[in-house]
Amino acid sequence: MGTLKDHIASHVCLEEEAKHFTSQILQGVRYLHENGILHRDIKSSNILMQSETKVKISDFGLSKILKDQRNIDLSTSVGTVFYMAPEVLKTETVVIYPTKADIWSIGCTVVEMITGMPPYAKDYSCFQVKGRIAANEMPEYELPQSASDALKDFLKRIFKRNPCERPSAEKLLEHIFIVDK
């Protein structure tokens, strides 16, 4: 079936479809985090389409098993720049709440599902994106005018610069954007 990226390339997702896929991605990330695994490269090309309605997280080449659920050495940044959280780009020795970097990446993937590209991808090179992520309060993207308030709030909560202010995957599964059918 290919990847979510392939699916998006053929057509951007309507909000209901994005909600459906996001719920499945969050369930997978919740499972990983509950089991002490940090994926570190959540993006549409690492989400496999099992069918037209079912997705699975793949490519664990950059994942890390967390011995301590709060601290991890991020002295080298890994992942794909358009999906990287601000704290990953800082390459600090110890970062609190490392699982929250996966949450930021999920937000970038949601933006890509709705708009056809992750934040910054339209106007900037990879090098420029690093500077934009480091400097901007919020990522740059433009949602369709039809975007619901629930979607806007969902992304606003995900794109908190301070990782300890970002909700967990479990909390996001309770957000109105996901639960409102």
Side-chain angles (χ1 to χ4, degrees):
M1 292 283 333
T3 66
L4 182 57
K5 185 168 194 72
D6 299 331
H7 182 77
I8 295 166
S10 69
H11 72 279
V12 295
C13 298
L14 297 175
E15 197 167 311
E16 284 302 311
E17 184 179 35
K19 178 191 306 193
H20 179 75
F21 292 149
T22 302
S23 174
Q24 291 176 58
I25 294 165
L26 285 168
Q27 289 172 45
V29 168
R30 176 183 63 187
Y31 177 83
L32 292 174
H33 291 176
E34 285 173 350
N35 288 281
I37 299 169
L38 180 62
H39 189 280
R40 304 199 306 173
D41 200 21
I42 299 285
K43 60 184 178 181
S44 62
S45 60
N46 286 341
I47 307 295
L48 297 178
M49 299 286 299
Q50 285 196 309
S51 69
E52 286 295 314
T53 60
K54 192 164 181 123
V55 296
K56 295 283 184 182
I57 299 170
S58 70
D59 193 349
F60 290 85
L62 296 178
S63 65
K64 183 117 177 139
I65 297 174
L66 303 173
K67 292 179 176 70
D68 177 335
Q69 290 292 319
R70 293 184 48 157
N71 299 320
I72 187 171
D73 181 358
L74 291 178
S75 54
T76 56
S77 63
V78 297
T80 304
V81 69
F82 292 102
Y83 304 84
M84 279 186 181
E87 66 271 18
V88 174
L89 291 172
K90 291 181 183 176
T91 63
E92 298 171 354
T93 303
V94 176
V95 173
I96 305 300
Y97 306 109
T99 57
K100 300 300 180 76
D102 282 346
I103 300 301
W104 182 282
S105 299
I106 290 169
C108 294
T109 304
V110 172
V111 168
E112 183 179 10
M113 282 190 267
I114 299 289
T115 69
M117 61 188 68
Y120 303 108
K122 182 178 178 184
D123 298 319
Y124 300 102
S125 69
C126 287
F127 179 77
Q128 291 170 317
V129 169
K130 287 182 178 185
R132 303 297 293 187
I133 292 171
N136 291 355
E137 190 62 30
M138 287 285 288
E140 294 176 16
Y141 58 88
E142 191 172 321
L143 294 175
Q145 289 208 337
S146 62
S148 70
D149 289 340
L151 171 61
K152 292 173 189 174
D153 184 70
F154 184 78
L155 292 171
K156 182 180 171 187
R157 291 173 190 269
I158 286 175
F159 291 133
K160 297 282 187 187
R161 291 194 65 75
N162 183 343
C164 68
E165 294 177 6
R166 271 178 235 143
S168 65
E170 179 149 2
K171 271 291 196 209
L172 287 170
L173 282 164
E174 298 169 1
H175 191 277
I176 191 165
F177 172 67
I178 299 298
V179 298
D180 187 33
K181 301 288 182 197

